[in-house]
Amino acid sequence: MNNQKLIAQFQSLARSTKWELTNKIDLQFNNHHSQGMVRIGDLFYLSSVELIEKPAGFDKPRLGYDRTPGKGIGHLFVFDIQGKLVQDILLGEGDIYHPGGIDFDGDKIWVPVAEYRPDSESIVYKVDPTTMKAEEFFRVPDHIGGMVRDGQDGKLTGNSWGSRKFYKWDQNGQLLLVKENSSHFVDYQDGQYAGEGKMILSGISELAHSSSGNSKPYELGGLALIEMNTLNTIHEVPITEFSPQGHVITRNPVFLENAGQELRLYAVPDDDRGSLLIYETCNLNNKR
């Protein structure tokens, strides 16, 4: 992937950018509630949580928690371009079963797995895409919902529940920095290293409708380019394309790559029998 070109193309994105659905590939397995995705060659790696028992809220916080842990199974699904399941890698332990957004650094896939509640605990795994083996790397006393590895210095950046805080760790998993997220545009769900010390994050905001008769929130999607050293936002744009089930396409798993003079976006926004949706921009160099 041409990282310089990817960054330049991303910075050309605007509200007027048009996204065209170029392919829809139905997944031939139950993808449950998908979270993060990377493409490596001809294969896709998709993190997901299989929810067995939904967490239930407490009337008052108990032991620092606002809800029960629930029950579930963490997955890292591997599938091909036809949507056929190649491998199912199980991740997590006990109450720690919720994988988040993932990143591939050219060698390993980085997957945080957390409890399905804020202010909890996480295990950060690195997965070898060749052997399909997962190895625990370090633990975090908070819910980590996404992870990106800086290709320049090897440092790791993660975000908390709702992405309200950023964490930064060194190559050995030692905590270096905790910083409040200065952007309140969307909650980041997934991310990838874009090159030159920058990362691309994607996510959603659930916004209330003005009409009290519409109880279902409106999902506003968004993409952001962030400087990993300062954790400052360089460029961000809204996304308003929707899936067959009515979800904004940046709801959880997203992966971006070059497509000639345009950008290509892969997404799996729908739960259970979802589809891999492939979009391309069609006016990136003539956006105005």
Side-chain angles (χ1 to χ4, degrees):
M1 183 183 294
N2 187 327
N3 290 330
Q4 288 185 333
K5 186 175 182 180
L6 179 65
I7 293 169
Q9 287 178 321
F10 189 95
Q11 290 183 282
S12 294
L13 291 173
R15 278 177 27 175
S16 57
T17 300
K18 295 180 180 178
W19 296 88
E20 178 182 353
L21 179 64
T22 60
N23 205 351
K24 174 179 173 289
I25 300 164
D26 295 333
L27 299 181
Q28 300 174 37
F29 60 96
N30 190 334
N31 60 292
H32 300 292
H33 183 34
S34 301
Q35 300 296 314
M37 180 169 60
V38 297
R39 179 185 180 186
I40 306 174
D42 296 328
L43 295 177
F44 295 85
Y45 295 75
L46 180 75
S47 62
S48 180
V49 55
E50 177 183 353
L51 191 58
I52 297 171
E53 178 185 300
K54 186 177 181 179
F58 296 133
D59 293 333
K60 297 180 180 180
R62 301 179 188 177
L63 301 176
Y65 296 117
D66 68 349
R67 68 196 74 185
T68 65
K71 295 180 181 178
I73 301 170
H75 298 268
L76 182 63
F77 295 120
V78 187
F79 66 94
D80 62 21
I81 194 62
Q82 285 78 41
K84 181 181 178 181
L85 184 66
V86 174
Q87 187 87 12
D88 180 4
I89 303 167
L90 300 182
L91 298 171
E93 63 179 45
D95 293 340
I96 301 174
Y97 61 83
H98 190 299
I102 67 178
D103 189 29
F104 176 59
D105 65 3
D107 182 36
K108 298 293 191 295
I109 303 169
W110 295 87
V111 188
V113 183
E115 292 187 35
Y116 204 165
R117 52 185 177 178
D119 305 311
S120 54
E121 295 183 69
S122 304
I123 302 172
V124 177
Y125 291 92
K126 53 182 180 178
V127 179
D128 188 324
T130 303
T131 64
M132 307 285 188
K133 300 296 184 183
E135 176 186 351
E136 178 181 329
F137 191 55
F138 64 99
R139 298 194 176 213
V140 183
D142 196 1
H143 175 106
I144 301 301
M147 184 72 65
V148 177
R149 188 167 192 258
D150 192 322
Q152 290 185 328
D153 58 21
K155 294 176 183 176
L156 293 156
T157 298
N159 53 263
S160 66
W161 180 279
S163 72
R164 293 307 91 209
K165 286 189 293 187
F166 284 118
Y167 289 88
K168 187 180 287 291
W169 300 272
D170 68 13
Q171 302 92 325
N172 299 313
Q174 296 298 311
L175 183 64
L176 300 174
L177 177 69
V178 182
K179 183 180 179 181
E180 295 293 322
N181 183 359
S182 61
S183 174
H184 298 271
F185 178 45
V186 296
D187 291 343
Y188 302 130
Q189 306 291 315
D190 200 7
Q192 66 188 84
Y193 182 64
E196 300 180 352
K198 299 174 178 63
M199 61 181 175
I200 293 172
L201 299 182
S202 56
I204 67 169
S205 286
E206 293 188 337
L207 306 175
H209 285 273
S210 59
S211 171
S212 60
N214 194 335
S215 59
K216 185 178 179 180
Y218 173 79
E219 293 180 357
L220 174 65
L223 296 169
L225 180 69
I226 294 175
E227 171 62 52
M228 297 186 73
N229 185 42
T230 63
L231 297 174
N232 292 330
T233 302
I234 301 168
H235 186 67
E236 57 186 0
V237 289
I239 299 292
T240 56
E241 303 292 334
F242 289 88
S243 72
Q245 292 183 18
H247 293 296
V248 72
I249 60 172
T250 56
R251 176 185 183 253
N252 299 344
V254 169
F255 182 75
L256 284 167
E257 66 181 15
N258 306 121
Q261 297 304 308
E262 302 292 339
L263 272 178
R264 182 178 296 121
L265 182 150
Y266 300 90
V268 184
D270 293 335
D271 296 342
D272 302 319
R273 294 289 175 175
S275 301
L276 174 67
L277 306 179
I278 305 176
Y279 284 82
E280 289 187 13
T281 58
C282 51
N283 67 332
L284 199 61
N285 297 306
N286 188 28
K287 62 179 186 292
R288 303 192 188 283

